[in-house]
């Protein structure tokens, strides 16, 4: 269970817990040598070297509203575990981390990751003093060493004030990339901090949900961090025969495959364009050999009974895709068809925005039982994730 810690003092410029790249960080924990160990069956297994550790650095990791518990659970599985030092809200974590920032950009359930630096200044104007400006530029250049940023933007209360207008002009001049009000790739947030003012620099040009494998987009495509949470909710077994009906652009299939192979991983859609998007995205992710895609109506499938152990599905929500009347017809027949193609011990994770209709449909049938429900806030919508079992 998460217990918010009292706010600890943030390391400040000058009193920073040794910054990465400083002498202290170079002498931080050295990587251990690879070791050979025996598994239970007697086979030899090489235990890889632990990655080199940096001095602890403060980061802020944000999940979509409603997905904080999934992100927190993901921390526990990391080789170098982030130490949570503050939980400003249920979906935002401030962590001290000794691995490389790139590790954090691979968190499947995080929407964004920021490097956090405290400046011991009474007001933002003081950031323009030479020492602080140099420090800020050094920080930004460190981020530019990790990723390519072609523009920048600044988010702050009063971002149009003379102080921030000057700061933007200074940065534009020194960084030699343009300031773009809404679309700037390098996002700098200036907020009051516990010990002065804090500059938070996003580690990536886009939110982390913008996956590199997404080469083909379709309207109604699922935010990949929501898909990751659905996969985590379903639980992972390599023995699972997994079906993703109404797969759209393939988000759920790819996010599941990222965690390893399964006995079967199959998606279908009744729309050619959606299937083409899925094919391209699955191909870009490098998973073509492991994912089967076919055109089919998810309410009348040409599949044998008892073919699957797990269904992952992002149902049409009745706005972008399908009208309300379409959904009323679709939902009951769909649940019945899934009961037919699944085993008696199968489970299903469903995402839908048509909450009332889905819950009514669920209470009017006996094939699937309610397990749990999770609210998500996504692109102005408030869909819900349901875990069902037979
Ligand atoms: C909400 S979208 C899924 C989006 C997908 N999760 C993604 O990330 O792109 C729903 C999909 O269901 C498909 N669909 C709607 N009715 C269907 C049916 N009866 N059988 C198969 N697919 C259907 C639509 O073509 C659409 O691609």
């Amino acid at each position: 269970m998460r217990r918010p810690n009292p706010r600890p003092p943030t390391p400040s410029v000058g009193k920073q817990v040794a910054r990465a790249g400083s002498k202290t960080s170079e002498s931080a924990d050295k990587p251990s040598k690879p070791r050979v160990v025996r598994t239970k069956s007697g086979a030899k297994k090489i235990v890889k070297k632990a990655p080199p550790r940096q001095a602890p650095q403060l980061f802020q990791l944000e999940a979509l509203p409603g997905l904080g518990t999934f992100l927190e659970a993901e921390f526990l599985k990391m080789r170098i575990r982030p130490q949570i030092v503050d939980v400003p809200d249920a979906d935002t974590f401030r962590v001290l981390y000794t691995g490389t920032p790139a590790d954090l950009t691979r968190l499947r359930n995080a929407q964004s990751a920021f490097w956090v630096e405290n400046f011991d200044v009474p007001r933002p104007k003081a950031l323009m003093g030479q020492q602080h400006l140099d420090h800020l530029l050094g920080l930004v250049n460190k981020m530019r060493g990790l990723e390519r940023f072609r523009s920048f933007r600044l988010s702050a209360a009063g971002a149009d004030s003379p102080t921030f207008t000057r700061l933007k002009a200074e940065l534009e001049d020194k960084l030699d990339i343009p300031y773009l009000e809404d679309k700037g790739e390098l996002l700098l947030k200036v907020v009051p901090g516990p010990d002065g003012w804090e500059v938070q620099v996003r580690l990536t040009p886009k939110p982390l949900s913008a996956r590199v494998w997404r080469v083909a987009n379709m309207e109604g495509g699922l935010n990949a961090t929501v898909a990751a949470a659905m996969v985590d909710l379903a639980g992972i077994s390599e023995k699972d025969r997994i079906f993703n009906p109404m797969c759209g652009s393939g988000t759920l299939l790819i996010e599941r495959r990222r965690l390893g192979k399964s006995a079967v991983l199959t998606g279908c859609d009744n729309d050619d364009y959606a299937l083409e998007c899925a094919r391209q995205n699955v191909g870009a992710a490098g998973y073509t050999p492991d994912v089967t895609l076919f055109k089919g109506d998810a309410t009348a499938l040409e599949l044998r009974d008892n073919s699957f152990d797990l269904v992952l599905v992002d149902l049409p929500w009745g706005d972008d895709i399908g009208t309300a009347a379409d959904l009323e017809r679709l939902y009951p027949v769909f649940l019945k068809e899934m009961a037919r193609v699944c085993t008696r011990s199968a489970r299903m994770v469903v995402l839908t925005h048509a909450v009332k209709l889905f819950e009514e449909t669920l209470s009017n049938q006996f094939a699937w039982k309610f397990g749990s429900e999770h609210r998500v806030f996504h692109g102005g919508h408030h869909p819900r994730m349901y875990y069902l079992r037979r």
Side-chain angles (χ1 to χ4, degrees):
M1 199 211 294
R2 179 180 326 129
R3 220 175 292 127
N5 297 352
R7 239 166 200 256
T10 317
S12 296
V13 175
K15 33 177 154 149
Q16 182 89 25
V17 179
R19 286 186 293 279
S22 71
K23 263 194 174 166
T24 325
S25 83
E26 276 155 24
S27 58
D29 301 352
K30 293 225 170 78
S32 56
K33 288 183 182 161
R35 285 181 304 128
V36 179
V37 294
R38 294 260 176 205
T39 62
K40 273 185 193 162
S41 63
K44 278 186 185 172
K45 187 178 160 194
I46 296 175
V47 180
K48 282 193 198 148
K49 313 191 257 196
R53 293 188 178 221
Q54 319 273 332
Q57 167 60 43
L58 188 65
F59 293 91
Q60 180 157 310
L61 297 161
E62 299 172 359
L64 279 185
L67 299 186
T69 47
F70 293 92
L71 177 56
E72 190 180 6
E74 201 179 349
F75 293 157
L76 299 178
K77 295 185 202 137
M78 291 178 74
R79 281 178 80 194
I80 303 174
R81 208 176 281 177
Q83 182 200 340
I84 300 175
V85 291
D86 195 10
V87 186
D89 65 56
D91 307 293
T92 305
F93 300 87
R94 293 173 60 102
V95 301
L96 285 174
Y97 189 61
T98 56
T100 63
D103 300 342
L104 302 177
T105 65
R106 285 190 287 271
L107 283 163
R108 298 172 305 111
N109 289 284
Q111 177 71 3
S112 10
F114 292 87
W115 179 293
V116 178
E117 195 90 353
N118 198 78
F119 287 76
D120 199 0
V121 292
R123 57 191 71 83
K125 194 175 177 186
L127 290 173
M128 249 104 57
Q130 200 57 50
Q131 181 205 349
H132 295 301
L133 191 62
D134 285 350
H135 185 74
L136 179 56
L137 288 168
L139 177 60
V140 168
N141 282 328
K142 193 183 296 183
M143 300 303 119
R144 292 172 93 187
L146 305 172
E147 285 273 356
R148 181 162 174 251
F149 297 93
R150 290 167 299 186
S151 52
F152 78 102
R153 70 186 142 122
L154 198 122
S155 157
D160 295 328
S161 66
T163 298
F164 285 121
T165 306
R166 239 187 86 203
L167 184 61
K168 287 176 214 168
E170 284 277 4
L171 291 173
E172 198 163 32
D173 181 46
K174 301 278 183 338
L175 297 174
D176 206 20
I177 49 174
Y179 179 83
L180 295 183
E181 185 79 41
D182 299 320
K183 290 190 183 151
E185 291 185 340
L186 181 85
L187 170 59
L188 297 164
K189 290 204 262 183
V190 183
V191 295
D195 287 323
W197 283 75
E198 205 170 86
V199 179
Q200 303 176 356
V201 191
R202 196 171 66 185
L203 299 180
T204 50
K206 290 184 182 161
L208 298 175
S209 54
R211 307 289 208 237
V212 282
W213 54 254
R214 191 176 289 286
V215 292
N217 261 314
M218 62 168 265
E219 204 161 338
L222 184 58
N223 177 299
T225 70
V226 179
M230 289 174 70
V231 166
D232 289 353
L233 182 60
I236 305 299
S237 163
E238 60 186 5
K239 292 189 186 141
D240 274 338
R241 292 167 300 163
I242 304 172
F243 186 38
N244 174 210
M246 315 196 204
C247 67
S249 57
T251 316
L252 280 160
L253 293 163
I254 297 167
E255 289 300 317
R256 170 57 188 83
R257 176 59 189 80
R258 274 184 77 177
L259 295 188
K261 292 189 185 187
S262 54
V264 171
L265 190 53
T266 298
C268 89
D269 205 286
N270 63 1
D271 181 80
D272 286 320
Y273 178 73
L275 273 177
E276 183 49 31
C277 288
R279 268 190 206 105
Q280 288 187 26
N281 289 330
V282 168
Y287 298 149
T288 304
D290 307 322
V291 178
T292 315
L293 293 167
F294 68 93
K295 184 168 181 182
D297 178 353
T299 62
L301 292 157
E302 290 177 18
L303 292 171
R304 289 205 196 116
D305 297 1
N306 303 317
S307 298
F308 299 105
D309 309 298
L310 170 64
V311 174
L312 297 170
V313 64
D314 169 21
L315 290 170
W317 293 1
D319 40 19
D320 286 344
I321 294 167
T323 64
D326 288 341
L327 299 196
E328 274 175 41
R329 278 191 299 274
L330 176 74
Y331 281 19
V333 194
F334 168 72
L335 284 183
K336 198 169 167 207
E337 183 65 343
M338 288 308 103
R340 183 185 73 75
V341 297
C342 284
T343 63
R344 296 305 303 251
S345 57
R347 54 209 204 278
M348 169 154 38
V349 175
V350 182
L351 185 82
T352 181
H353 187 243
V355 169
K356 193 162 169 272
L357 172 65
F358 186 74
E359 291 186 359
E360 267 171 24
T361 310
L362 203 58
S363 60
N364 287 333
Q365 54 84 61
F366 298 101
W368 295 96
K369 295 183 187 71
F370 174 84
S372 64
E373 175 202 3
H374 304 261
R375 293 168 192 227
V376 194
F377 299 84
H378 165 25
H381 294 287
H382 298 178
R384 289 191 199 174
M385 257 191 259
Y386 295 90
Y387 179 89
L388 311 179
R389 49 197 165 71
R390 295 294 311 273

